[in-house]
């Protein structure tokens, strides 16, 4: 299994997220890319590892691997309340965990929470589980996100998961991934506190992609993207998704450029390269991740995420068998109808 | 159109409706009271059947104007699937609720309330948490079972998400278990036994906190007990005394809730009569109907499950004809729509599996 394209894409997605996150973590505190210029390599001898982005991704993977099939918000909540490192938890997560522990159903414990971009972090495994089926990835990511989020955050997570599922297709392209983002983005007026935002969710993404289309260099794209595509705060999930997809497009899906571009855009500089890295890794596979960054990760770290990727591959393969059985059953009905 | 699968989907939708037609006047009686008043019921009661509560009058009104609330809610699910031709979210379902045009004078108060809070902006994921639970909308989510044909786990999963727009526990779990059973019953090799296995697997084995602190409060415990009793008898009627003693009398002694909004007992009784009737539509349904107690819901549960198992072609034609007449052909139309949606689901699935095999083999 470890040599096939499925593993390469799954591991590429997971480790792309890890590498991107590791590159961006030290940069997040700056907020403005002009304060650190151009960063193309880890800024410390030992890459800083695992903040909440990667931890949430691990928790999603763990929930899928333990269940061995599709997961519900309750399945997620069981794993999160048991295994999450509470020191990594932003206050919105703390609130949801407390609600769940007090008996509030996980399927709506995020309703009413403050929108912080936490649902989109680590959501990629939902797209992996539904590999090659963006529609189901979208619906499940939406449902799972409501464990701790709502509104823009849940929608951004769902759109991103759909993109990941599309990127897993053997014939996926940068265009097909971005078309998926547009297809699943809502085109009705957003009801958000920031009334200065006039575009719809889809319009906002479309605008960023139009800007991204003008550039082939991730560094050159930064000023215009920052000027025209940022929201009220760097944690805003629509901004995070928009800048992620824009960097993915400028990089033409290349994992190295997507990760470096994401880390160098400033703003939420750890989440954006993590998401861009996961998407580009899913599209291109593990072998295309930036070698100069991968080589500096420890063997322990590589082994840990390789094991996680193998576990996810087992679940995806098992799901493929289940789907094939159902398809077979449907075909049998059709044969009967013909007879 | 896949004729056999259509027959099963149509049977499920029509069966639920026929179950309701049969039982609308008797859910609060015991089988002894039913015997004394009506004798053995073997045909759909007409509108001249005496009614015993205000609720029953409402239901009769609904039927006389060819309008049924459960059916209307079912249509919302079908519309949501039809427009999107994919798995739907609770927000998709909300969009159908807020734009639906209903004859509101016939709309029950819980649904009026739900539509209003959704129109006022309440998140649909939260709406059911504050809802009064009531039996009629339990079978409305049958389309979720049809969409998830052959995949009971997915049907259960999706119904928990979607039906929570209008329901909270334990009603939600009953609706989800029913969807799982419908998904199982749509299989070509499904049987009464596989249906019962599915009911056992998905009926929650947990104690629910109920306002009246009624016991038993574990639906699975009731189901196990009812099935155990059913296993000792060959025909529905012969099991009435023991089922009444074990499931109804002990339970009734310390409960305050109406059979109309009870969700601990119905799945157990439905499973028992499905077993006693060996999955046959007429025998299973009449067994539950003539037991009377809880038949508000048990008859619809059995109708949808055995209707999916044997298909509409196994439903007595005069009953199916009555259901179609009362609904102006909506049941058949909904089944046709869902089959169309299923074709889209399996086309997508075929592409997905093909892609996954390429990934695995490359």
């Amino acid at each position: 299994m470890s040599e096939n394209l499925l593993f390469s894409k799954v591991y590429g997605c997971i480790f792309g997220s890890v590498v991107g996150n590791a590159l961006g973590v030290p940069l997040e505190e700056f907020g403005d890319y002009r304060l650190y210029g151009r960063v193309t390599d880890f800024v410390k001898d030992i890459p800083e590892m695992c903040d909440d982005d990667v931890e949430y991704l691990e928790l999603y993977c763990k929930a899928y691997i333990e269940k061995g099939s599709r997961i519900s918000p309750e399945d997620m909540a069981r794993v999160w309340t048991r295994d999450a490192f509470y020191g990594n938890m932003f206050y919105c997560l703390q609130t949801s965990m407390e609600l769940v522990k007090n008996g509030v159903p996980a399927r709506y414990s995020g309703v009413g929470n403050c929108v912080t971009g936490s649902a989109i972090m680590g959501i990629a495994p939902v797209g992996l589980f539904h590999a090659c089926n963006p529609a189901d990835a979208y619906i499940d990511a939406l449902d799972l996100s409501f464990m701790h989020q709502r509104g823009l955050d849940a929608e951004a997570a769902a759109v991103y998961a759909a993109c990941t599922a599309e990127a897993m297709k053997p014939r996926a392209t940068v265009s097909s991934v971005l078309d998926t983002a547009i297809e699943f983005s809502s085109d009705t007026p957003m009801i958000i506190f920031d009334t200065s935002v006039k575009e719809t969710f889809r319009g906002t993404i479309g605008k960023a992609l139009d800007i991204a289309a003008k550039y082939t260099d991730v560094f050159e794209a930064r000023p215009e993207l920052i000027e025209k595509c940022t929201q009220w705060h760097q944690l805003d999930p629509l901004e995070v998704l928009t800048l992620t997809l824009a960097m993915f497009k400028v990089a033409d899906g290349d994992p190295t450029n997507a990760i470096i571009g994401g880390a160098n855009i400033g703003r939420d500089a750890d989440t954006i390269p993590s998401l861009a890295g996961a998407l580009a890794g899913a599209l291109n596979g593990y072998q295309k991740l930036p070698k100069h960054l991968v080589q500096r990760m420890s063997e322990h770290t590589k082994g840990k995420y390789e094991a996680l990727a193998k576990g996810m591959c087992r679940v995806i393969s098992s799901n493929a068998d289940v789907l094939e059985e159902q398809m077979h059953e449907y075909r049998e009905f059709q044969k009967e109808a013909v007879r | 159109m896949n004729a056999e699968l259509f027959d099963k989907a149509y049977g499920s939708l029509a069966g639920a409706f026929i179950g309701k037609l049969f039982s609308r006047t008797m859910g609060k009686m015991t089988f002894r009271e039913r015997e004394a008043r009506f004798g053995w019921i073997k045909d759909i009661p007409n509108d001249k059947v005496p009614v015993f509560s205000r609720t029953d009058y409402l239901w009769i009104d609904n039927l006389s104007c060819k309008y049924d609330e459960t059916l209307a809610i079912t249509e919302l699910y079908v519309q949501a699937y039809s427009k999107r031709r994919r798995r739907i979210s609770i927000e998709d379902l909300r969009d159908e609720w807020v734009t639906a045009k209903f004859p509101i004078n016939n709309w029950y108060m819980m649904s009026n309330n739900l539509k209003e809070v959704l129109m006022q902006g309440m998140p649909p994921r939260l709406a059911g948490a504050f809802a009064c639970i009531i039996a009629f909308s339990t079978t409305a989510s049958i389309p979720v079972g049809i969409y998830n044909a052959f995949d009971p786990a997915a049907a259960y999963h999706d119904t928990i998400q979607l039906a929570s727009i209008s329901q909270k526990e334990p009603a939600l779990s009953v609706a989800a278990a029913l969807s799982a059973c419908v998904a199982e019953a749509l299989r070509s090799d499904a049987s009464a036994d596989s249906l019962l296995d599915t009911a056992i697997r998905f009926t929650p084995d947990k104690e629910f906190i109920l306002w009246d602190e009624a016991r038993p409060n574990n639906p699975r415990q009731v189901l196990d007990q009812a099935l155990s009793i059913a296993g000792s008898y060959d025909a529905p009627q012969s099991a009435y005394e023991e089922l009444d003693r074990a499931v109804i009398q002990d339970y009734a002694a310390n409960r305050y809730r109406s059979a109309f909004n009870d969700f601990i007992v119905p799945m157990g009784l439905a499973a028992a009569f499905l077993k006693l009737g060996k999955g046959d539509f007429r025998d299973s349904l009449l067994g539950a109907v003539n037991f009377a107690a809880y038949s508000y819901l048990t008859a619809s549960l059995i109708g949808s499950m055995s209707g999916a198992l044997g298909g509409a072609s196994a439903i007595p034609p005069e009953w199916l004809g009555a259901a179609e007449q009362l609904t102006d052909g909506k049941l058949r139309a909904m089944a046709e729509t869902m089959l169309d949606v299923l074709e889209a689901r399996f086309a997508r699935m075929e592409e997905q599996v093909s892609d996954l095999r390429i990934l695995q083999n490359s």
Side-chain angles (χ1 to χ4, degrees):
Chain A
M1 178 177 74
S2 61
E3 298 303 318
N4 67 18
L5 186 55
L6 176 65
F7 173 78
S8 175
K9 280 174 162 277
V10 170
Y11 191 30
C13 178
I14 291 174
F15 213 60
S17 172
V18 173
V19 170
N21 188 233
L23 183 67
V25 163
L27 309 177
E28 185 190 17
E29 62 184 279
F30 292 100
D32 187 335
Y33 72 84
R34 286 167 297 192
L35 298 175
Y36 57 84
R38 296 183 176 210
V39 176
T40 58
D41 205 346
F42 295 127
V43 296
K44 294 181 181 175
D45 289 341
I46 301 172
E48 199 163 337
M49 287 302 302
C50 195
D51 75 347
D52 45 4
D53 292 273
V54 172
E55 190 201 354
Y56 297 166
L57 178 137
E58 283 180 47
L59 292 169
Y60 269 107
C61 287
K62 199 180 271 190
Y64 277 115
I65 292 166
E66 281 185 14
K67 181 96 181 278
S69 61
R70 192 178 173 203
I71 57 170
S72 68
E74 284 68 30
D75 297 323
M76 268 304 293
R78 262 192 300 279
V79 173
W80 284 51
T81 51
R82 187 193 66 205
D83 294 345
F85 171 50
Y86 290 179
N88 262 349
M89 278 190 176
F90 210 38
Y91 47 84
C92 54
L93 254 301
Q94 295 167 6
T95 300
S96 295
M97 290 299 96
E98 199 159 273
L99 287 170
V100 168
K101 287 185 172 187
N102 277 285
V104 174
R107 66 176 181 278
Y108 57 73
S109 49
V111 173
N113 212 344
C114 50
V115 170
T116 62
S118 62
I120 194 172
M121 295 192 300
I123 197 75
V126 182
L128 293 181
F129 175 77
H130 289 292
C132 316
N133 186 345
D136 279 8
Y138 175 87
I139 295 293
D140 271 11
L142 198 61
D143 287 345
L144 292 163
S145 294
F146 269 86
M147 181 187 78
H148 59 106
Q149 270 301 339
R150 66 171 181 88
L152 277 186
D153 216 332
E155 187 172 353
V159 170
Y160 180 81
C163 291
T164 308
E166 173 64 30
M168 286 295 295
K169 288 181 177 174
R171 287 174 288 274
T173 62
V174 172
S175 293
S176 75
V177 171
L178 296 174
D179 287 349
T180 301
I182 296 293
E183 180 189 347
F184 285 94
S185 295
S186 144
D187 202 25
T188 53
M190 293 189 285
I191 303 172
I192 52 178
F193 78 92
D194 184 359
T195 51
S196 68
V197 180
K198 302 300 179 198
E199 289 100 349
T200 63
F201 195 105
R202 183 183 294 175
T204 306
I205 289 177
K207 183 172 124 185
L209 295 180
D210 287 344
I211 292 170
K214 299 184 206 168
Y215 299 93
T216 54
D217 182 306
V218 291
F219 295 105
E220 287 178 12
R222 294 186 297 183
E224 190 172 357
L225 285 173
I226 291 296
E227 183 194 341
K228 296 177 180 170
C229 299
T230 52
Q231 305 292 335
W232 75 283
H233 193 282
Q234 66 188 46
L235 292 180
D236 183 278
L238 184 54
E239 175 182 317
V240 170
L241 177 64
T242 299
L243 294 180
T244 297
L245 295 175
M247 278 305 177
F248 177 77
K249 184 175 175 70
V250 175
D252 197 26
D254 172 64
T256 303
N257 286 328
I259 287 171
I260 289 174
N264 282 276
I265 191 74
R267 309 292 288 179
D268 197 350
D270 65 333
T271 297
I272 296 169
S274 177
L275 294 173
L279 205 53
L283 182 66
N284 293 287
Y286 170 73
Q287 294 82 355
K288 295 286 174 60
L289 293 182
K291 289 192 171 43
H292 72 288
L293 298 178
V294 171
Q295 281 167 359
R296 290 187 58 193
M297 307 299 275
S298 72
E299 289 307 311
H300 170 76
T301 301
K302 288 179 199 167
K304 175 182 169 184
Y305 292 106
E306 186 179 336
L308 216 53
K310 284 180 178 171
M312 282 302 292
C313 284
R314 278 193 296 276
V315 179
I316 295 165
S317 297
S318 166
N319 187 46
D321 293 343
V322 169
L323 296 177
E324 188 152 42
E325 275 176 34
Q326 290 174 21
M327 245 171 49
H328 176 71
E329 220 160 327
Y330 186 67
R331 284 201 203 107
E332 287 300 305
F333 265 116
Q334 286 177 314
K335 280 183 197 165
E336 288 296 322
V338 171
R339 280 187 209 126
Chain B
M1 176 75 71
N2 188 324
E4 194 182 340
L5 195 53
F6 167 77
D7 190 48
K8 281 173 163 277
Y10 180 30
S12 184
L13 291 162
F17 187 76
I18 290 167
K20 188 171 170 182
L21 290 180
F22 257 107
S23 60
R24 65 186 190 268
T25 59
M26 295 185 298
K28 294 172 184 170
M29 297 182 201
T30 66
F31 72 92
R32 296 179 196 85
E33 289 170 309
R34 183 270 307 154
E35 185 64 37
R37 289 175 191 270
F38 308 122
W40 182 259
I41 304 260
K42 58 184 179 186
D43 255 317
I44 298 172
N46 61 38
D47 284 356
K48 292 174 186 166
V49 169
V51 291
F52 301 98
S53 74
R54 185 169 170 275
T55 301
D56 289 325
Y57 278 115
L58 274 176
W59 284 28
I60 298 288
D61 287 348
N62 288 344
L63 289 172
S64 63
C65 72
K66 295 191 175 183
Y67 176 80
D68 176 75
E69 189 162 354
T70 306
L71 197 65
I73 300 173
T74 308
E75 280 189 289
L76 298 183
Y77 280 92
V78 174
Q79 282 167 18
Y81 278 117
S82 174
K83 284 180 188 169
R84 292 153 187 91
R85 294 170 63 80
R86 56 158 169 76
R87 205 177 289 286
I88 56 171
S89 71
I90 195 168
E91 285 75 17
D92 296 330
L93 194 56
R94 180 265 321 272
D95 292 347
E96 300 304 320
W97 268 90
V98 297
T99 55
K101 299 271 188 287
F102 296 124
I104 56 174
N105 290 340
N106 291 316
W107 207 222
Y108 209 57
M109 65 187 86
M110 286 71 175
S111 298
N112 285 337
N113 182 61
L114 175 59
K115 186 174 168 75
E116 193 163 280
V117 297
L118 291 174
M119 289 169 73
Q120 291 172 352
M122 175 178 271
R125 290 169 193 269
L126 214 50
F130 303 107
C132 295
I133 60 173
I134 197 158
F136 64 71
S137 61
T138 304
T139 54
S141 45
I142 288 171
V144 186
I146 297 173
Y147 178 81
N148 287 292
F150 324 139
D151 192 346
Y156 182 88
H157 179 123
D158 283 5
T159 306
I160 289 285
Q161 291 294 332
L162 295 169
S164 69
I165 197 169
S166 60
Q167 313 240 40
K168 63 178 188 294
E169 293 289 17
L172 193 53
S173 288
V174 176
L178 173 64
S179 287
C181 288
V182 169
E184 169 63 28
L186 292 174
R187 288 189 158 138
S188 59
D189 61 350
S191 62
D193 285 343
S194 74
L195 256 185
L196 293 173
D197 288 345
T198 306
I200 291 167
R201 181 178 163 204
F202 289 101
T203 298
D205 185 9
K206 63 178 279 191
E207 296 193 338
F208 286 100
I209 299 170
L210 305 172
W211 63 269
D212 57 0
E213 299 181 20
R215 295 290 186 278
N217 56 351
N218 180 327
R220 175 65 189 286
Q221 185 187 330
V222 174
L223 184 138
D224 289 345
Q225 189 178 16
L227 281 179
S228 168
I229 292 169
S232 306
Y233 297 91
D234 289 332
Q237 205 169 351
S238 57
Y240 281 1
E241 286 288 349
E242 192 173 348
L243 280 173
D244 183 67
R245 189 167 51 249
V247 177
I248 305 300
Q249 287 183 26
D250 290 352
Y251 186 48
N254 59 4
R255 73 171 165 81
Y256 295 90
R257 65 186 53 240
S258 157
F260 188 56
N261 62 358
D262 185 285
F263 292 89
I264 301 297
V265 167
M267 190 49 104
L269 282 180
F273 287 115
L274 203 65
K275 186 178 177 75
L276 287 159
K278 299 172 182 62
D280 174 77
F281 189 88
R282 182 193 294 266
D283 292 348
S284 304
L285 186 68
L286 289 183
V289 166
N290 283 286
F291 187 67
Y294 294 90
S295 56
Y296 281 135
L297 188 50
T298 55
S300 287
L301 293 174
I302 287 176
S304 57
M305 289 191 279
S306 60
L309 188 63
S313 52
I315 296 175
E318 65 277 18
W319 298 355
L320 193 60
E324 277 303 344
Q325 193 184 354
L326 280 165
T327 61
D328 289 333
K330 281 180 180 168
L331 296 163
R332 172 178 278 275
M334 285 196 292
E336 284 171 353
T337 303
M338 286 310 297
L339 256 288
D340 186 43
V341 174
L342 265 182
E343 279 184 25
R345 175 191 162 211
F346 282 103
R348 188 180 298 117
M349 190 184 287
E350 190 153 7
E351 282 178 23
Q352 183 185 9
V353 171
S354 167
D355 282 346
L356 287 170
R357 295 308 183 209
I358 291 171
L359 292 177
Q360 287 174 314
N361 297 321
S362 301

